[in-house]
Amino acid sequence: VIKDKLKALLHFINQNIGEVGGRAFVDSAPVLDRAWAQRSGLGWIGKHTLLINQKAGSFFFIGELILDLDLEPDHPTTDHCGTCTRCIDACPTGAIVQNNLVDANKCISYLTIEYKKELPASFQNQMEDWAFGCDICQDVCPWNRFSAPTKEPAFTADERILKNYWADWQEITEEVFKEIFKNSAVKRTKFEGFTRNINFLKK
C-alpha cells in the first residue's frame, strides 16, 4: 500500500516538475529507513528502537523515494523519551536490554516472524497471546496517546481475521491460511511458522 502511494507521488513529481528519476522503498531493500527518517526530522529513535513522532506516536509506516533531485533537507528533531522506561519495563521477555538496544533473540516479533527453528522452551508462558509480531512496547508508550486508527481502506482487516477465536486458529488449515492472509503481512511467517507459534502458545 505504501509503496504504491510512493510510486503515485513519484508520478505526481514527474508531472509537475519534469522528468525525475527515482525508486520507492518500503522495508524492501538495504535502506536505513529509521536512521534516514530520524535525520530528516520525522521523529527520534525511542528506547525500543522504533521511530517516534510527537504528533503521531510510533504506530505508522515509513518508506522513502530515492530521487535524483536536489532537495533542501529538514533537520533532526530532539529525543523526547526523557527518563521514561515503560517500554523496557513492559517487555515480557526482557528484549529491550538497554536504551536503544534490542536483543532480537528475545524479541517476540523476531521470534514469531523471522525465527525459523522451534521456539526456545525458555520463552514458554512469556509471549502472552502474540502469535505474529508484538506491539507491547508501543502499546505502553505515552506518545501513542496521539496515534489514531488509519482511515485508509486498503488497511482494513479481513473480517474472518477479526471474528476468529483462539480455537479457530488452532484448527486452521493451510488452505484457509493462504486465503485469509493472502494480502496480509502474516503470510511472511508461512503456514508452518504460524501454526508453530499457535501450538507453542497453547502448551
Side-chain angles (χ1 to χ4, degrees):
V1 174
I2 302 299
K3 183 175 272 189
D4 286 344
K5 289 182 179 295
L6 287 172
K7 289 178 179 178
L9 176 58
L10 179 58
H11 179 70
F12 174 84
I13 291 171
N14 279 313
Q15 283 187 317
N16 290 272
I17 295 178
E19 192 62 33
V20 174
R23 288 185 63 188
F25 299 97
V26 184
D27 199 21
S28 54
V31 176
L32 299 174
D33 306 76
R34 284 175 298 172
W36 286 7
Q38 180 183 31
R39 289 179 63 182
S40 69
L42 292 180
W44 70 95
I45 305 300
K47 291 184 171 77
H48 50 24
T49 74
L50 302 172
L51 187 75
I52 304 175
N53 178 278
Q54 278 186 286
K55 295 181 179 178
S58 61
F59 281 118
F60 55 82
F61 296 110
I62 55 176
E64 48 280 327
L65 278 178
I66 297 181
L67 307 171
D68 57 0
L69 179 67
D70 285 330
L71 298 170
E72 184 178 340
D74 292 318
H75 300 289
T77 184
T78 52
D79 186 309
H80 295 278
C81 285
T83 59
C84 178
T85 59
R86 290 189 194 181
C87 58
I88 296 173
D89 300 336
C91 181
T93 58
I96 309 173
V97 292
Q98 65 185 56
N99 187 7
N100 299 121
L101 182 63
V102 171
D103 182 347
N105 294 310
K106 295 180 179 180
C107 178
I108 295 173
S109 282
Y110 171 76
L111 291 168
T112 57
I113 302 173
E114 310 296 343
Y115 189 74
K116 303 306 178 188
K117 301 175 184 177
E118 285 300 310
L119 294 173
S122 58
F123 292 107
Q124 201 75 57
N125 302 318
Q126 290 188 40
M127 295 171 59
E128 299 189 3
D129 58 355
W130 296 95
F132 181 86
C134 176
D135 284 325
I136 293 173
C137 61
Q138 297 190 86
D139 287 336
V140 300
C141 178
W143 287 104
N144 275 323
R145 68 186 182 275
F146 299 118
S147 65
T150 181
K151 294 186 173 91
E152 170 55 60
F155 286 128
T156 303
D158 188 308
E159 281 296 316
R160 292 168 294 181
I161 297 174
L162 302 176
K163 291 179 179 178
N164 269 357
Y165 295 99
W166 180 242
D168 297 320
W169 295 125
Q170 291 176 303
E171 303 296 327
I172 194 170
T173 65
E174 186 167 6
E175 182 180 10
V176 172
F177 174 86
K178 288 180 177 178
E179 174 60 27
I180 290 180
F181 295 116
K182 66 181 177 182
N183 295 317
S184 165
V186 176
K187 67 184 179 184
R188 285 173 56 194
T189 196
K190 299 185 171 57
F191 174 72
E192 294 77 13
F194 185 75
T195 52
R196 174 205 65 179
N197 297 343
I198 293 292
N199 291 328
F200 185 80
L201 293 173
K202 75 177 184 179
K203 287 179 181 177

